[in-house]
Every structure is written in structure tokens, then in C-alpha cells.
């Protein structure tokens, strides 16, 4: 039996930094989190920090130029300008909430250099603890705000739509019971797609469900083929894989093969500080060639490891590795999805009543390859904008046309899909592998129905097969050259993805 709940404010799916920033900006909101707060979201796992022009020698324009360069021709310049202009204040606002960013004696932010940044501009917390510390401060503020309601152990099973297609609420499963929640707006803040891959740095709960829900409702999806692989996940057989933060390379750590040879000069003049996609492909190539790949921080960090990078140090120690004396085995892992639900600069999706923010959205700010440490910044800036816009919605819409929950993909089938996605839609792709993968994905829908996770996987694979070029996080071995910069926009019609390209 389904119960009904009416809420006079935005309904927010997801409780990472984007979702909670939206809730605080909206003032009144209902937040649905699939797990207890601070668990199950990528925001809390972020190590590097937040990139923003916070020093006298930096400017939003310089930050924007670096973002556009990393985005490989597909960034929306208006979105990037907004992000970099509002970024410094977003960091200061989080600091005012209590996020304990590392500070100098004069109280200025300690700023780190990361790959593809022209200036040191990454504000950090305790070396590699930014995400957890920022989330702790934001969660404390949310819990202290009486007008924000939180329901944990709550998963969205369907977006509710009236006969006009307007999103009028969500069918949620809360503690095992179905609840019809009606409201004037729904904000998707469900994170990325890492859980669709066998090797990922993201929580298992983050597996493209928001993307699939939006696509099945008829929302436009942008650039789903662009998946970012973090070059240096720690290769110790864990699922998810622990992360060796980008900041380690910023501090001077060296990538070496098993015999100790530094190999990045073979691949890019910037060596360890090359863009993430370049470094990920270099590590992939070294591993495929049987030479192995290791991050050597013994000189760059050495005895300072426990204090400077405690999360990485603990992960290594738990596997019997002492990074002060030994090299860290690394492997590329799915870390971020540049694609997502297409939105405007206030988070509005193509369907009335639907918004998206953070990693599950595609504002165009990340292009084909996200610049390091722009993800928490995007979540804070665009989450707040989506929250304010959604709070202004006055229309509640009509009665939902369906209250049937969408099916779940059984875990055994999901694990098979994850291995196939890593095999054929990974760091390096080609037509043969993608066609094989698409056939495997398409076989799941007749067997299990329109599962949001399967739809998300199909969107990625079809768009990757259609993009016959290499750009940013999408590398085709059979099409290594870069063509004209054209974004992908995808809509589902009769549960079939119609991929169409539109230049912007």
C-alpha cells in the first residue's frame, strides 16, 4: 500500500553537497537520502578540496581559462564564468558554516596546486580531508534548520508526472514502504555513475539512478559518454577503490613503472601534472604493457605522510603498504561523470518541475573533462542556485499518471554489468568493444524491465559508440583524432535512446 505525503517546497533526491546546498538555499525542503547522512555520497569522500580564485595572484578569469582548457572544447563559457566568479564566495560561505579549511598564520587559505591549474588555488582541509569536513559543517547547519526535513533510507523509485509531463513529485521507498510524495519541484542531486563500473572511487550507491529516472521521464540528457577516470586509485583489490589524491602529484610525487622508471615524460610535457585523462591513459598503457604503475611519494612527502595525507596513509597501511618507504600501486578508476541531466544555469531541466544539481547535472561547466577540484565547487555553486530557483516554483501540477515503481536490477546482474562496463566503456574504447557491450546492456531490459541503472548504462554506451572521435574523458582507439566540438544531447522515445548532436 502506498501512503501519500504533500510537501510545500522542493523535494531533493540526494544528500551530498549539491543536495544540501540546495536545501539551505531553498530555506524549506524535504531531503531524501538513500543512506544515513555523510555516507553513501561522493562529496564526503572527496580528498583534494575546492578550487577557487582565493589569492591575490589569481583571478576568476584565470580559473575559467584553465577550466575551459581542461574541458577539451565542450565547456559552456557562460556556465564556467558563473562558476569561477561565484566560486570564491562559495568557499568563504562554507568556511563561515564551520568548514575548517587549512589556513596560514595570517588566516589566508592554504592553497595547493593540482594538475592543469595554472595557479595554486585548491583550498584543502587537513591535507586530504576536504569532503568529509565540508560535509560535516553543512550537515550540522541542515540539522539545525527546522524547515528542512530529512528522510534517510529513502530511495526514489519513480519521478511522478501529470498528463502534461510536468514533474509533480516522487515515488519513494522509505524504510521499505512506498510513499507518494507530492510537491511543486523535484531536485535531482543523486551523484554520478561510478557504481556502474567494476573499478570506481565512488560509493556503491552512486550508480546513475537519478540519470536513469530523469531519462525515463523524458528529460534531456547531455554528454553521457564523458566519464572521468581518476588516474591514481590505490590498487589493493577493494571495491570501491581508495583514492590517492591529485594533490600528491601536486606535491611532487612521481609515477613510476615496477622497475622504478619515471614514465610520464613519455606521454606529456607536463608529466605528472598533465590533465587527468592523459595521466589515466598513460597508467593504463603501462599496466597493459606489463610494466605496472606506482605512485612514488617517498621523497615528495615521506615522513610527513601521516600528517599531510592521513586518509591515503591509512588506506595504504591497511593493505600493508608504508607510503613513506614504498611506492603505491595505482590504477585508473571511474571518479566523475561530466554528463548528466541537461540544465540551465539555475538547475532547470527540460521538464517543468524538474531540477538537477551537482554531478548528476550537466550545466556544461565541466565539458569533456573536469578540471581537478571543480566538483565540490560546482555542487556548492549550482546546488544553491537550483535550490533558490526551485523554491520559487508555485505550481503543483495535476494528478500523477502512474504510481508504479520502476524495477531494480538484481545485484548479480549488476555485478556482471559493472565488469562489462569497465572492460568495454573504460579508459580506452573502440567500436567492437562498445558494440559488444551495447548488445549485453540491451539484453537486460527485456529480462528485467526499464531499470534506471540499465538505462543510465545504455545512455553512456550508445553515446560513446556514436562519438567517433577522442576528446577529454572519451578516448576511441579507432578514432584517436579530435573532430569538431559538438555536444551530445539524448532523449528517450518509447524507451529507445535517440542520440542527436547539437552544436552550441
Amino acid at each position: 500500500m502506498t501512503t501519500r505525503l504533500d510537501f510545500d517546497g522542493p523535494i531533493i533526491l540526494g544528500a551530498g553537497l549539491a543536495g544540501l546546498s540546495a536545501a539551505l538555499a531553498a530555506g524549506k525542503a524535504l531531503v531524501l537520502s538513500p543512506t544515513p547522512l555523510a555516507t553513501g555520497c561522493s562529496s564526503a569522500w572527496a580528498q583534494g578540496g575546492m578550487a577557487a580564485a582565493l589569492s591575490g595572484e589569481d583571478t576568476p578569469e584565470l580559473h575559467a581559462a584553465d577550466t575551459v582548457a581542461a574541458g577539451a572544447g565542450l565547456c559552456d563559457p557562460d556556465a564556467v564564468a558563473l562558476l569561477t566568479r561565484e566560486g570564491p564566495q562559495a568557499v568563504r560561505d562554507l568556511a563561515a558554516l564551520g568548514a575548517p579549511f587549512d589556513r596560514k598564520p595570517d588566516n589566508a587559505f592554504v592553497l595547493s596546486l593540482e594538475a592543469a591549474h595554472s595557479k595554486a588555488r585548491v583550498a584543502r582541509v587537513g591535507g586530504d580531508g576536504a569532503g568529509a569536513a565540508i560535509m560535516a559543517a553543512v550537515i550540522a547547519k541542515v540539522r539545525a534548520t527546522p524547515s528542512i526535513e530529512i528522510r534517510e533510507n529513502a530511495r526514489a523509485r519513480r519521478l511522478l508526472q501529470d498528463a502534461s509531463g510536468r514533474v509533480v513529485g516522487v515515488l519513494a521507498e522509505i524504510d521499505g514502504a512506498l510513499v507518494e510524495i507530492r510537491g511543486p519541484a523535484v531536485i535531482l542531486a543523486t551523484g554520478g555513475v561510478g557504481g556502474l563500473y567494476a573499478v570506481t572511487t565512488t560509493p556503491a550507491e552512486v550508480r546513475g539512478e537519478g540519470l536513469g529516472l530523469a531519462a525515463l521521464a523524458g528529460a534531456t540528457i547531455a554528454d553521457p559518454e564523458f566519464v572521468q577516470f581518476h588516474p591514481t586509485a590505490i590498487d589493493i583489490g577493494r571495491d570501491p577503490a581508495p583514492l590517492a589524491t591529485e594533490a600528491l602529484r601536486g606535491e611532487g610525487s612521481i609515477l613510476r613503472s615496477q622497475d622504478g622508471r619515471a614514465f610520464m615524460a613519455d606521454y606529456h610535457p607536463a608529466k605528472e601534472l598533465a590533465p587527468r585523462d592523459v595521466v589515466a591513459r598513460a597508467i593504463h598503457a603501462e599496466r597493459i604493457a606489463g610494466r605496472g604503475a606506482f605512485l612514488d611519494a617517498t621523497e615528495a612527502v615521506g615522513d610527513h605522510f601521516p600528517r599531510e595525507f592521513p586518509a591515503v596513509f591509512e588506506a595504504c597501511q591497511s593493505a600493508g603498504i608504508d607510503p613513506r618507504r614504498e611506492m603505491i600501486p595505482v590504477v585508473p578508476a571511474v571518479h566523475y561523470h561530466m554528463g548528466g541531466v541537461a540544465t540551465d544555469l539555475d538547475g532547470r531541466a527540460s521538464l517543468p518541475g524538474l531540477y538537477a544539481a551537482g554531478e548528476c547535472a550537466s550545466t556544461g561547466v565541466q565539458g569533456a573533462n573536469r578540471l581537478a577540484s571543480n566538483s565540490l565547487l560546482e555542487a556548492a555553486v549550482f546546488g544553491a542556485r537550483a535550490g533558490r530557483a526551485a523554491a520559487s516554483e508555485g505550481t503543483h501540477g495535476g494528478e500523477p499518471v502512474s504510481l508504479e515503481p520502476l524495477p531494480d536490477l538484481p545485484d548479480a546482474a549488476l555485478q556482471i554489468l559493472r565488469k562489462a562496463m569497465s572492460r568495454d566503456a573504460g579508459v580506452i574504447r573502440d567500436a567492437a568493444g562498445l558494440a559488444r557491450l551495447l548488445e549485453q546492456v540491451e539484453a537486460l531490459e527485456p529480462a528485467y524491465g526499464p531499470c534506471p541503472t540499465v538505462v543510465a548504462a545504455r545512455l553512456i554506451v550508445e553515446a560513446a559508440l556514436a562519438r567517433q572521435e577522442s576528446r577529454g574523458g572519451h578516448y576511441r582507439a579507432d578514432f584517436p583524432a579530435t573532430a569538431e566540438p559538438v555536444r551530445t544531447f539524448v532523449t528517450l522515445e518509447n524507451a529507445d535512446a535517440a542520440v542527436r548532436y547539437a552544436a552550441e
Side-chain angles (χ1 to χ4, degrees), residues 301-349:
V301 182
D303 290 336
H304 301 292
F305 231 116
R307 183 181 76 253
E308 300 268 333
F309 299 99
V312 178
F313 183 73
E314 183 181 349
C316 290
Q317 288 270 285
S318 70
I321 298 165
D322 184 349
R324 296 169 296 186
R325 310 281 179 262
E326 301 172 76
M327 298 193 298
I328 305 167
V330 291
V331 60
V334 172
H335 186 61
Y336 190 84
H337 191 210
M338 278 74 72
V341 180
T343 72
D344 67 10
L345 299 186
D346 288 315
R348 291 184 186 86

Side-chain angles (χ1 to χ4, degrees), residues 184-229:
V186 173
I187 303 175
L188 294 171
T190 51
V193 299
L196 293 178
Y197 284 77
V199 185
T200 180
T201 63
T202 68
E205 295 83 3
V206 180
R207 55 190 184 212
E209 286 189 334
L211 186 70
L213 288 168
L216 286 164
T220 299
I221 307 301
D223 303 326
E225 67 268 40
F226 292 109
V227 178
Q228 184 172 78
F229 296 82

Side-chain angles (χ1 to χ4, degrees), residues 39-135:
T39 66
C41 70
S42 297
S43 299
W45 290 22
Q47 290 182 352
M50 294 180 72
L54 292 162
S55 72
E57 63 177 25
D58 199 4
T59 66
E61 291 75 20
L62 284 173
H63 186 187
D66 290 344
T67 299
V68 168
L74 291 192
C75 290
D76 180 314
D78 292 335
V80 174
L82 189 152
L83 176 78
T84 55
R85 185 173 64 246
E86 296 190 2
Q89 190 58 48
V91 175
R92 294 186 185 104
D93 289 346
L94 287 168
L97 282 184
F101 290 99
D102 297 343
R103 303 280 191 156
K104 297 177 181 177
D106 64 358
N107 206 40
F109 290 96
V110 173
L111 300 174
S112 294
L113 178 68
E114 290 189 358
H117 288 270
S118 59
K119 300 287 183 182
R121 65 166 66 95
V122 180
R124 290 159 54 185
V125 180
D128 59 8
I134 290 167
M135 285 300 295

Side-chain angles (χ1 to χ4, degrees), residues 197-504:
Y197 284 77
V199 185
T200 180
T201 63
T202 68
E205 295 83 3
V206 180
R207 55 190 184 212
E209 286 189 334
L211 186 70
L213 288 168
L216 286 164
T220 299
I221 307 301
D223 303 326
E225 67 268 40
F226 292 109
V227 178
Q228 184 172 78
F229 296 82
H230 197 291
T232 54
I234 304 173
D235 187 19
I236 50 177
R238 283 215 198 127
D239 180 22
L243 186 63
T245 174
E246 193 105 24
L248 283 163
R249 282 176 282 133
E251 293 290 321
S253 299
I254 305 295
L255 284 165
R256 302 186 188 277
S257 55
Q258 194 159 17
D259 63 5
R261 179 178 174 272
F263 59 78
M264 275 309 301
D266 298 344
Y267 296 92
H268 197 279
K271 297 187 279 193
E272 277 72 17
L273 295 182
R276 279 183 173 174
D277 61 302
V278 175
V279 181
R281 286 195 297 275
I283 291 172
H284 179 78
E286 292 294 309
R287 288 170 55 90
I288 290 293
R291 293 186 288 269
F294 298 80
L295 187 64
D296 181 1
T298 55
E299 288 190 20
V301 182
D303 290 336
H304 301 292
F305 231 116
R307 183 181 76 253
E308 300 268 333
F309 299 99
V312 178
F313 183 73
E314 183 181 349
C316 290
Q317 288 270 285
S318 70
I321 298 165
D322 184 349
R324 296 169 296 186
R325 310 281 179 262
E326 301 172 76
M327 298 193 298
I328 305 167
V330 291
V331 60
V334 172
H335 186 61
Y336 190 84
H337 191 210
M338 278 74 72
V341 180
T343 72
D344 67 10
L345 299 186
D346 288 315
R348 291 184 186 86
S350 62
L351 298 175
L354 182 65
Y355 293 74
E359 192 175 348
C360 76
S362 178
T363 60
V365 76
Q366 309 294 9
N369 189 38
R370 175 178 66 84
L371 183 66
S373 290
N374 267 357
S375 53
L376 289 177
L377 189 72
E378 184 196 18
V381 169
F382 286 95
R385 293 179 70 87
R388 286 191 291 270
S392 68
E393 290 274 1
T395 304
H396 280 252
E399 291 298 308
V401 295
S402 176
L403 289 172
E404 285 297 312
L406 290 166
D408 267 335
L409 186 66
D411 186 66
L414 175 63
Q415 299 311 319
I416 293 170
L417 174 63
R418 294 179 70 198
K419 289 184 176 66
M421 290 288 287
S422 282
R423 181 193 68 212
D424 291 329
V427 177
I428 296 179
R429 305 161 174 182
D430 61 32
L434 290 167
R436 172 177 60 183
L437 176 58
L438 182 59
E439 187 176 329
Q440 192 169 344
V441 171
E442 287 180 332
L444 293 171
E445 292 185 46
Y448 301 108
C451 309
T453 49
V454 176
V455 169
R458 181 155 60 85
L459 289 168
I460 294 168
V461 178
E462 284 199 326
L465 191 56
R467 183 171 290 275
Q468 296 183 348
E469 64 156 352
S470 292
R471 181 185 299 276
H474 169 74
Y475 187 84
R476 287 282 297 264
D478 48 350
F479 292 99
T482 299
E484 289 299 308
V486 180
R487 294 185 66 191
T488 302
F489 292 89
V490 186
T491 54
L492 291 188
E493 298 171 4
N494 301 320
D496 290 324
V499 178
R500 56 189 172 84
Y501 291 95
E504 293 203 342

